[in-house]
Amino acid sequence: MQLLTPFPLLQALGMECFVAIDLETTGLDATADEILEVGMAKVVKGKVCEHFNQLIQVEQQIPEHISSITGISNEDVAGQPSINEVLPRIIDFIGDAPLVGHNIGFDLSFLNEQLQRVDLRQQTNFVSSQPASSLKMRQLPNPHIDTLVLSRILLPRLSNHRLEHLAQYFGLSQKKTHRALDDALTVVNLFDYLIQCANKLDKEVLGFINRLLKPWQGRDSQSNLLPDFFGHLVDLSRSGERIPTKRMVSQQLSSPPKVDNLIGFETGSQTVASAKFDFDKIKAVFLPGGILEKARPGYEARPQQLQMVEAVCRAFSEESFLLIEAGTGTGKSWAYLIPAIYWSQSQIQTKETDDSFLPTRIIISTNTKNLQEQIFFKDIPFLRSHLKLPFRAVLLKGRNNYLCWHRWKDFILELEHRQLSSLKERLELLPVAVWLSETLTGDIEENTGFRAHQKPYVWAKLHSDSRYCKGNKCSFNSVCFVNRVRRAARNAHLVVVNHSLLFSDLVSNNSVLSEYQNLIVDEAHNLENAATQYLGVEAHLWQIRNLVNNLYYFDGRETGLLPRMRQAIYKGKLSQNTQETLLGNIEAVTSLTRSLDQASSRFFRQLSEACWEFNLRQRQPIGTKIRYRDWLENFPSTGIVTNEFLNELQELAGELRRLHENLLLVKAEEIAEVEDFLFDLEGTCQEADELLAVFKMLIEATDQRYVFWLEPSPRGENFDSRIKAAPLSVSFLLKPLLYDRLRTAIFTSATLSINGQFDYFKSRVGLDLVDPDRLLENALGSPFDFEHQVLVAVPKFLPTPKEVGFIETTVSLLCDTISHLHRGTLILFTSYELLGKVYEGLKINLESEDVLILGQGKDGARHALLRQFCEQKGTVLLGTNSFWEGIDIPGTPLEILVITRLPFEVPSEPIIQARMEAIEQRGGNSFYQFSVPAAILRFRQGFGRLIRTKSDRGVVIILDNRALRFRYGSLFLESLPVIPKVFNTPREMLNAIEKWFFR
Ligand code: SF4
């Protein structure tokens, strides 16, 4: 195999010879798991000239999911050499060549672990070309390049960076994935393409990368080669000898297409004057022969969809609040989007200032990212092109999703000054640098290379923040991502947001969305939880650390706002008096940052210990949440450190204000950057004031409208405890903040009602406080024929979950069902504890059968589990809370759904406990008025995972016998669209299910 990259380029990059490596292992932990297979390919002068491929005998049994992924069985490795025997050959093959691998740190950790365990000198057949010093170190001394890191840097907008995905993206032929040699050869190809992508990098971006990595260039050989790799590229481009890549397939090397968060804002597109809101015309879009049927072959008008269209049209024209339940398969997004588009076109207002037209905006809020993207990137473009209406739409997120140019530049300047920042820290920022040269939106979610969710504390310093936003005075104003999208959102017909933004906008007086009067809430069953979460308050140690570090940071060199100001004051043309005052202020603030840093550490350490002791006394896991009403009563040992911490924070806030006031007296002629300093200082003052207010509110805990609790770190780390508060009821907030100013509101979901009644939902989110004459309610039936599509089985012979023997009988019944039927099975749990026990039981009992069993938290991330579940027929997947909704698996991968327990909320959860108490105090019955209806809605969400299309068929098994034995149980069963069948013996049930599948 010959590489596409010309040899001179490989040579210039120091890659005349390299070895691509991949290992298959029995698990992810190098200290506990074993190497199953080693694959290597040696590349010399741009040509693969030698292969190494070896299966390895392991001591442990190969886990099922590993066999399923790799195709390597216990039989395959029986009789193969041990790792001790293979290791010398591996080292021999590698020699002193640089290594290239995908996530190579993983492979190196396994090899180095083995090197540490094996006394290589005892291996008689070992002939090493390694220097003796490396053997002493017991780790491979070869320098390396990680293609995963490289692809994250060079292709930051790719949806993911798994090897198979990258191979597909570049159109590389990949025989088998997850076999060591095939993957090593794919790595060779991938590296080849990535070199060419790097060679195409914009000069400016390349220069920036090189500047950041410079301190690590030319270091000893036991290192990451990436700094040198980029250094060589820069040298080539400087010398004008950038070597062209001859056979480069430009299409293959282009970045993924750019996405935009604006639709319909092309130059020349204008809002046209009002058109009549015509019900019949809108309905005709859905009817046979209408626009939808013509545009989407196979589209069928559904009665429930038409009913929904009518109801939405009525809500708009009567300015009402519509609560509409529409099951899966109704086509509900089109049923509200199309009337919404026509409505916004009919309500164009004329601007007083210049007679131009302004659209009536409709805000559409969803709970999940999936639905938000479906609406914005699929539904809206489709409708725009087929309805032929010139509407504009914007996908708007919270400010903290967008990068702020001003903060990015400052951050990089600081980083370059810091001596001790690590290579890892800098490499992690490179995907941002490349992405910034491409992105239209500045929305960090499109940057899969950076992974902001894994680095919240770095991202907190880069994202747009109103406290540090210079607005019109910002020199980046014209290219600012936030300004661009917000301006567009003010002129759009449809603004798609999520519940998080909807609520954070409410508490910030509509600072993001500005005034709006029409709202559509999809996935509305999550409204109460979302409001609880986003209208709540939270405090943790990192908020203080961020504040302190932004002001002053020392790692061999001083960085931060205070040293910058000090330097400018020395250089400035100030009177001696003013200079001394300001330097005195700065000294005082600097000293307070140190004492606050220490006081906050003491406070959180003491708090963690108090939580630890509390949970120990209560015999609860160390991470159990602790509700408190009186801080000192619950955590008396924290009294002194709490006062000390609050005092320090207060003093810092006060001293910052004093510094700000004194700096206000300074003129630009005296210090050129004074305006910038004042601006940053004002943001910092605001941050300190806000933090003080939040910590005080949480510690005083006097606001009766809130519930307060502590979340200790589940791992017992001091720095990871969180103090939280959430509104006891969201009604009192939503009514005045939201409902009172809306003309039209539509709340929709597949599960809003209980037996056709919306009372529970209304009472939870405050819609019962709205004028009843303005409320329209409609529970649409389902377009599915549940009688023929689903069998609901309730085994009467099982004990209830709290009785002895529930787990054993459940495991036994599940084993019989799985081995008898061999169909894709999703088992839903309400706790990890029960999931773990059933998982173990199934593994042990079904060991000899060819069934893949996957458990949440056991066999990989949620999306990987779902992918494997869909790919391999007859897989069994065990999941907890996040699997009860938002999973869409049509067809045969999912034919049996098991509900292990009725999904009651955990009554000891602080917010649930407080809400139940509040109902009891009002003389109500918290179980029937709160616990049961909430569980029924969740139960229906879980049930909804099975039938996703008209052709799906399957069985739901409800293992929780309380559904039969207790009075409330009938409420659950009655909420289903089919009458369940009750079975007295396992045999009877299995026969009936088998018969039903073959009917
Ligand atoms: S206008 Fe504000 S958010 Fe935009 S780049 Fe400037 S400081 Fe950042």
Side-chain angles (χ1 to χ4, degrees):
M1 184 168 92
Q2 182 73 47
L3 268 59
L4 298 174
T5 309
F7 179 62
L9 180 52
L10 286 171
Q11 205 175 20
L13 295 172
M15 286 286 155
E16 301 94 325
C17 168
F18 66 90
V19 171
I21 185 165
D22 186 71
L23 305 184
E24 299 305 329
T25 62
T26 57
L28 302 176
D29 182 353
T31 58
D33 296 308
E34 297 179 72
I35 300 173
L36 267 181
E37 188 180 32
V38 180
M40 292 186 283
K42 189 174 279 179
V43 181
V44 180
K45 295 189 177 172
K47 197 171 178 181
V48 177
C49 61
E50 219 181 322
H51 292 166
F52 180 103
N53 195 20
Q54 181 64 58
L55 279 168
I56 290 165
Q57 165 112 55
V58 287
E59 286 170 13
Q60 51 192 244
Q61 285 285 311
I62 304 174
E64 251 173 86
H65 69 283
I66 298 290
S67 283
S68 146
I69 294 170
T70 59
I72 303 172
S73 65
N74 290 306
E75 293 73 46
D76 292 332
V77 295
Q80 298 289 343
S82 71
I83 184 65
N84 290 1
E85 292 168 293
V86 178
L87 210 45
R89 286 170 44 212
I90 296 174
I91 294 174
D92 208 23
F93 183 89
I94 295 172
D96 57 4
L99 291 169
V100 179
H102 202 67
N103 193 15
I104 197 165
F106 175 82
D107 305 276
L108 290 178
S109 69
F110 270 82
L111 287 174
N112 289 334
E113 178 68 25
Q114 290 307 320
L115 277 170
Q116 281 171 28
R117 284 186 202 165
V118 178
D119 184 353
L120 288 167
R121 287 157 215 268
Q122 287 174 4
Q123 305 298 320
T124 49
N125 58 348
F126 175 62
V127 181
S128 173
S129 57
Q130 305 300 310
S133 59
S134 73
L135 296 178
K136 270 189 212 142
M137 289 171 70
R138 297 285 171 80
Q139 62 174 17
L140 285 171
N142 307 58
H144 58 266
I145 284 189
D146 190 340
T147 48
L148 174 62
V149 175
L150 201 52
S151 80
R152 282 185 178 144
I153 295 170
L154 299 171
L155 300 162
R157 291 183 294 110
L158 212 58
S159 61
N160 73 64
H161 298 266
R162 288 198 316 272
L163 184 61
E164 59 264 39
H165 186 82
L166 284 156
Q168 209 178 15
Y169 175 73
F170 284 118
L172 309 176
S173 67
Q174 195 189 12
K175 284 185 213 143
K176 286 182 204 162
T177 49
H178 301 299
R179 285 311 294 260
L181 181 58
D182 290 327
D183 284 358
L185 287 166
T186 305
V187 166
V188 174
N189 269 322
L190 172 62
F191 185 47
D192 190 16
Y193 273 84
L194 290 174
I195 291 174
Q196 298 182 63
C197 289
N199 197 37
K200 275 180 64 189
L201 271 183
D202 177 81
K203 246 186 177 182
E204 207 178 307
V205 178
L206 196 56
F208 176 83
I209 293 176
N210 191 46
R211 238 176 42 231
L212 271 193
L213 300 184
K214 208 157 195 71
W216 282 270
Q217 286 168 357
R219 289 200 172 181
D220 66 52
S221 63
Q222 286 193 44
S223 60
N224 194 325
L225 274 181
L226 276 181
D228 286 341
F229 175 89
F230 283 108
H232 294 318
L233 278 177
V234 169
D235 291 344
L236 283 174
S237 88
R238 274 202 200 121
S239 64
E241 285 175 23
R242 228 169 171 185
I243 298 164
T245 45
K246 281 187 225 143
R247 288 152 60 195
M248 187 166 79
V249 187
S250 57
Q251 201 189 344
Q252 280 173 313
L253 294 182
S254 60
S255 296
K258 290 181 190 179
V259 289
D260 201 352
N261 44 8
L262 317 183
I263 292 177
F265 284 82
E266 305 81 21
T267 0
S269 71
Q270 283 180 349
T271 298
V272 293
S274 287
K276 195 171 159 260
F277 187 60
D278 182 342
F279 268 37
D280 292 334
K281 193 173 164 189
I282 296 169
K283 260 178 93 177
V285 172
F286 294 84
L287 290 173
I291 293 173
L292 295 180
E293 195 182 75
K294 285 182 194 151
R296 168 108 8 126
Y299 170 81
E300 268 177 38
R302 283 150 277 188
Q304 294 79 7
Q305 193 179 36
L306 286 170
Q307 284 173 37
M308 182 158 172
V309 172
E310 269 181 39
V312 173
C313 287
R314 194 177 149 203
F316 274 120
S317 54
E318 291 179 8
E319 299 190 348
S320 307
F321 281 38
L322 169 67
L323 282 66
I324 189 154
E325 181 178 272
T328 310
T330 302
K332 66 177 164 17
S333 3
W334 285 4
Y336 61 70
L337 279 173
I338 293 172
I341 292 164
Y342 278 99
W343 175 253
S344 71
Q345 296 283 306
S346 71
Q347 299 293 306
I348 310 285
Q349 304 151 13
T350 312
K351 258 197 211 170
E352 278 173 21
T353 44
D354 57 2
D355 276 354
S356 61
F357 295 113
L358 261 185
T360 288
R361 299 184 315 145
I362 298 170
I363 309 294
I364 299 167
S365 181
T366 71
N367 190 53
T368 59
K369 186 175 163 236
N370 279 355
L371 181 59
Q372 194 181 45
E373 291 184 349
Q374 161 77 31
I375 289 173
F376 191 79
F377 294 114
K378 292 192 178 147
D379 293 337
I380 289 179
F382 172 82
L383 294 176
R384 196 163 190 277
S385 80
H386 294 287
L387 294 180
K388 302 204 182 336
L389 290 172
F391 67 90
R392 295 190 293 254
V394 169
L395 175 63
L396 182 62
K397 298 185 181 175
R399 200 183 250 276
N400 58 1
N401 284 275
Y402 303 98
L403 184 127
C404 165
W405 278 107
H406 168 66
R407 299 185 85 203
W408 164 252
K409 296 275 171 181
D410 275 0
F411 186 79
I412 296 299
L413 271 180
E414 291 268 307
L415 195 74
E416 284 179 329
H417 275 92
R418 275 173 48 199
Q419 291 178 331
L420 300 182
S421 62
S422 66
L423 173 61
K424 186 168 171 274
E425 204 178 336
R426 293 188 177 204
L427 283 175
E428 282 178 347
L429 286 170
L430 299 187
V432 181
V434 174
W435 167 72
L436 275 174
S437 67
E438 304 171 344
T439 180
L440 294 172
T441 67
D443 176 358
I444 197 66
E445 256 194 54
E446 66 179 44
N447 189 335
T448 55
F450 177 61
R451 294 166 303 148
H453 59 284
Q454 290 184 11
K455 297 179 269 290
Y457 307 116
V458 178
W459 179 239
K461 293 178 182 184
L462 301 179
H463 65 63
S464 169
D465 182 330
S466 59
R467 293 172 301 206
Y468 297 97
C469 177
K470 297 184 166 188
N472 292 339
K473 289 186 182 162
C474 173
S475 51
F476 299 98
N477 193 20
S478 61
V479 288
C480 171
F481 299 117
V482 177
N483 286 350
R484 173 183 185 261
V485 70
R486 286 191 176 186
R487 261 196 311 268
R490 296 204 168 114
N491 273 306
H493 299 83
L494 304 182
V495 182
V496 182
V497 302
N498 61 14
H499 294 354
S500 147
L501 175 58
L502 184 74
F503 293 121
S504 45
D505 178 65
L506 287 186
V507 282
S508 68
N509 290 326
N510 299 116
S511 64
V512 185
L513 292 173
S514 70
E515 270 302 304
Y516 60 91
Q517 293 173 325
N518 303 290
L519 172 68
I520 297 173
V521 180
D522 202 338
E523 300 176 314
H525 62 280
N526 283 308
L527 202 65
E528 186 188 10
N529 282 347
T532 304
Q533 184 180 348
Y534 299 114
L535 300 177
V537 193
E538 175 175 350
H540 49 85
L541 178 60
W542 285 100
Q543 293 165 318
I544 301 291
R545 293 239 165 116
N546 267 345
L547 172 75
V548 164
N549 293 346
N550 284 342
L551 281 166
Y552 182 85
Y553 189 81
F554 183 78
D555 66 352
R557 188 181 289 194
E558 290 179 321
T559 49
L561 180 61
L562 297 174
R564 283 206 311 273
M565 284 173 60
R566 197 198 299 130
Q567 218 173 9
I569 290 167
Y570 277 128
K571 280 193 204 156
K573 296 173 189 155
L574 294 161
S575 68
Q576 194 182 348
N577 212 358
T578 314
Q579 191 189 54
E580 278 171 12
T581 310
L582 287 171
L583 288 175
N585 284 149
I586 288 176
E587 199 43 53
V589 180
T590 308
S591 150
L592 281 168
T593 57
R594 286 196 210 103
S595 46
L596 174 62
D597 195 28
Q598 289 161 4
S600 60
S601 296
R602 279 195 296 275
F603 169 70
F604 275 96
R605 191 176 324 120
Q606 189 67 44
L607 192 57
S608 295
E609 278 170 25
C611 292
W612 191 79
E613 280 163 21
F614 182 92
N615 280 329
L616 202 68
R617 272 201 310 277
Q618 303 292 318
R619 295 172 194 279
Q620 302 177 138
I622 52 169
T624 305
K625 294 174 193 167
I626 303 168
R627 184 175 163 205
Y628 65 89
R629 292 176 182 82
D630 185 308
W631 185 269
L632 282 182
E633 212 171 274
N634 278 70
F635 316 109
S637 63
T638 64
I640 294 171
V641 288
T642 305
N643 279 337
E644 187 189 57
F645 162 63
L646 287 179
N647 286 341
E648 292 290 349
L649 185 53
Q650 187 149 10
E651 274 198 47
L652 178 76
E655 199 58 47
L656 277 169
R657 284 278 167 216
R658 269 186 288 283
L659 174 59
H660 185 258
E661 278 162 23
N662 287 334
L663 200 67
L664 273 172
L665 305 173
V666 174
K667 298 187 186 79
E669 305 87 77
E670 294 168 317
I671 296 179
E673 313 93 312
V674 69
E675 215 175 299
D676 285 347
F677 288 142
L678 275 170
F679 183 81
D680 287 348
L681 204 52
E682 177 54 44
T684 314
C685 288
Q686 218 181 315
E687 190 177 342
D689 291 344
E690 282 170 17
L691 278 175
L692 182 63
V694 166
F695 272 100
K696 272 190 168 170
M697 182 259 190
L698 289 167
I699 289 168
E700 285 166 3
T702 47
D703 192 334
Q704 300 291 319
R705 297 170 308 169
Y706 285 82
V707 185
F708 299 87
W709 73 95
L710 257 157
E711 277 184 28
S713 154
R715 293 169 299 281
E717 291 123 346
N718 297 334
F719 55 81
D720 214 10
S721 300
R722 273 145 206 269
I723 315 169
K724 292 190 175 183
L728 179 60
S729 154
V730 297
S731 304
F732 79 92
L733 291 168
L734 293 185
K735 165 85 170 54
L737 287 177
L738 185 63
Y739 306 147
D740 283 353
R741 54 104 190 264
L742 289 176
R743 277 163 64 187
T744 303
I746 292 152
F747 300 88
T748 185
S749 159
T751 51
L752 281 187
S753 77
I754 292 169
N755 293 327
Q757 301 300 312
F758 291 86
D759 299 352
Y760 173 73
F761 173 71
K762 286 193 293 187
S763 70
R764 297 310 311 168
V765 297
L767 282 167
D768 54 346
L769 307 174
V770 171
D771 176 1
D773 291 342
R774 291 188 67 201
L775 281 183
L776 305 172
E777 298 171 17
N778 204 335
L780 302 172
S782 169
F784 299 145
D785 179 2
F786 282 111
E787 283 297 332
H788 291 98
Q789 289 185 263
V790 67
L791 168 71
V792 178
V794 192
K796 198 177 174 184
F797 48 87
L798 288 181
T800 62
K802 286 197 175 149
E803 285 174 344
V804 181
F806 174 73
I807 295 173
E808 293 75 12
T809 44
T810 291
V811 169
S812 161
L813 180 66
L814 286 172
C815 286
D816 287 348
T817 311
I818 292 162
S819 60
H820 205 71
L821 298 167
H822 288 290
R823 288 174 191 268
T825 305
L826 173 64
I827 311 178
L828 296 177
F829 292 84
T830 54
S831 76
Y832 275 106
E833 196 189 348
L834 183 59
L835 182 149
K837 287 178 179 162
V838 173
Y839 177 84
E840 292 301 323
L842 295 183
K843 284 270 186 192
I844 293 166
N845 287 292
L846 296 174
E847 202 185 356
S848 56
E849 307 214 10
D850 190 20
V851 182
L852 175 61
I853 296 165
L854 300 171
Q856 185 187 0
K858 311 262 176 203
D859 300 309
R862 184 176 184 267
H863 66 275
L865 293 177
L866 288 170
R867 198 181 56 244
Q868 259 187 291
F869 183 71
C870 293
E871 279 169 7
Q872 187 156 331
K873 203 169 180 294
T875 298
V876 178
L877 174 60
L878 288 74
T880 59
N881 293 340
S882 66
F883 286 75
W884 285 76
E885 59 179 292
I887 290 179
D888 188 13
I889 306 174
T892 51
L894 172 55
E895 291 184 289
I896 300 176
L897 175 82
V898 181
I899 293 178
T900 49
R901 291 187 67 152
L902 301 179
F904 286 107
E905 299 267 20
V906 182
S908 58
E909 270 289 307
I911 191 77
I912 302 297
Q913 192 185 61
R915 285 178 176 165
M916 289 173 74
E917 279 171 15
I919 294 172
E920 297 287 335
Q921 277 162 12
R922 291 197 299 269
N925 180 323
S926 62
F927 184 66
Y928 277 101
Q929 289 172 286
F930 179 70
S931 302
V932 170
I936 289 176
L937 290 182
R938 190 139 189 80
F939 178 70
R940 291 184 57 215
Q941 275 290 336
F943 177 87
R945 295 314 96 211
L946 184 69
I947 305 297
R948 308 301 297 172
T949 67
K950 278 187 172 176
S951 57
D952 285 351
R953 289 186 82 237
V955 172
V956 177
I957 305 173
I958 298 162
L959 298 179
D960 192 336
N961 224 325
R962 290 177 296 177
L964 296 174
R965 293 211 205 153
F966 295 105
R967 189 160 63 91
Y968 61 81
S970 59
L971 300 173
F972 284 82
L973 299 183
E974 283 161 12
S975 75
L976 299 178
V978 273
I979 298 169
K981 287 202 166 31
V982 178
F983 296 98
N984 293 309
T985 66
R987 177 97 338 259
E988 191 192 330
M989 188 178 96
L990 286 182
N991 286 344
I993 293 176
E994 197 168 19
K995 213 165 133 196
W996 189 85
F997 269 121
F998 287 104
R999 201 165 65 181

